[in-house]
Amino acid sequence: MMFDRITRIAFGVASAFLMLLAFGLIAYAAYEVVRSLLIDRTDIGATLLEAVGYTVIAIAVFDVGKYLLEEEAIRGREMRQAAEARRSLTKFISTIAIAVFLEGLVAVFEAGKEDLRMMIYPTLLLFTGVALIIGLGIYQRLSAMVENETSDPESSKKTPKARAARGAA
């Protein structure tokens, strides 16, 4: 019982720290935009793209902190329904994919301006984003199929055509 309490406190502290870091990223992004507008007068487009990237990453970090707080510190590894877990993971992976795509786009613009030979990194980032989305789609499809089969024991006895007809009705 004491170990459970210690781990919940540890997860709570880690969650609060991650949330503070997320707010720090957003504050830094805002600072960079204001500095670019008022002081440096550098390429505002690149600064804004970087600020969007920082903000999306901050959302992902905040989401991880929120997940740790809700699932590990408050609920304490309470089992959830498969649909709830799927929604949570979908939201998290989608946020990460958006961050990867944004970073890839920023890198494409930077590499395009400087040296086209540097396009391998942005290309790999974009392929990684695509792989995340494809993997998420496969996960969604498979987990929904398993969830449907486990929630309706009679459906496993029917043929695939009968299941498809029932789903269309």
Side-chain angles (χ1 to χ4, degrees):
M1 194 65 175
M2 184 65 161
F3 181 73
D4 185 49
R5 182 177 298 266
I6 291 171
T7 56
R8 284 180 181 223
I9 290 170
F11 278 117
V13 169
S15 172
F17 186 67
L18 285 173
M19 289 178 181
L20 285 173
L21 289 175
F23 286 127
L25 280 172
I26 291 172
Y28 178 74
Y31 167 77
E32 286 295 316
V33 169
V34 169
R35 189 180 78 150
S36 181
L37 285 171
L38 300 177
I39 299 169
D40 289 346
R41 299 201 185 270
T42 58
D43 185 16
I44 189 67
T47 304
L48 290 173
L49 281 174
E50 287 177 11
V52 169
Y54 281 133
T55 304
V56 171
I57 291 168
I59 291 169
V61 170
F62 189 85
D63 197 36
V64 170
K66 185 181 107 183
Y67 173 82
L68 287 175
L69 183 65
E70 290 175 346
E71 298 302 320
E72 301 295 339
I74 296 173
R75 289 191 197 176
R77 294 192 178 110
E78 178 180 299
M79 293 298 290
R80 301 185 303 171
Q81 292 187 9
E84 184 183 348
R86 189 173 66 239
R87 280 191 300 273
S88 178
L89 184 63
T90 299
K91 186 172 79 170
F92 177 70
I93 294 297
S94 297
T95 306
I96 297 298
I98 290 168
V100 168
F101 281 127
L102 283 172
E103 180 64 26
L105 287 174
V106 169
V108 163
F109 291 127
E110 288 175 359
K113 289 179 188 176
E114 295 173 15
D115 185 9
L116 289 179
R117 293 179 295 191
M118 301 298 292
M119 290 294 285
I120 189 73
Y121 172 71
T123 302
L124 290 174
L125 271 176
L126 294 174
F127 279 134
T128 301
V130 169
L132 277 169
I133 296 297
I134 290 171
L136 180 61
I138 291 169
Y139 168 76
Q140 286 282 343
R141 178 74 174 156
L142 292 175
S143 64
M145 286 172 44
V146 168
E147 184 181 333
N148 287 338
E149 287 179 6
T150 57
S151 66
D152 185 10
E154 289 297 314
S155 69
S156 62
K157 296 177 184 174
K158 297 178 183 175
T159 64
K161 285 184 180 180
R163 279 187 287 208
R166 191 186 85 228

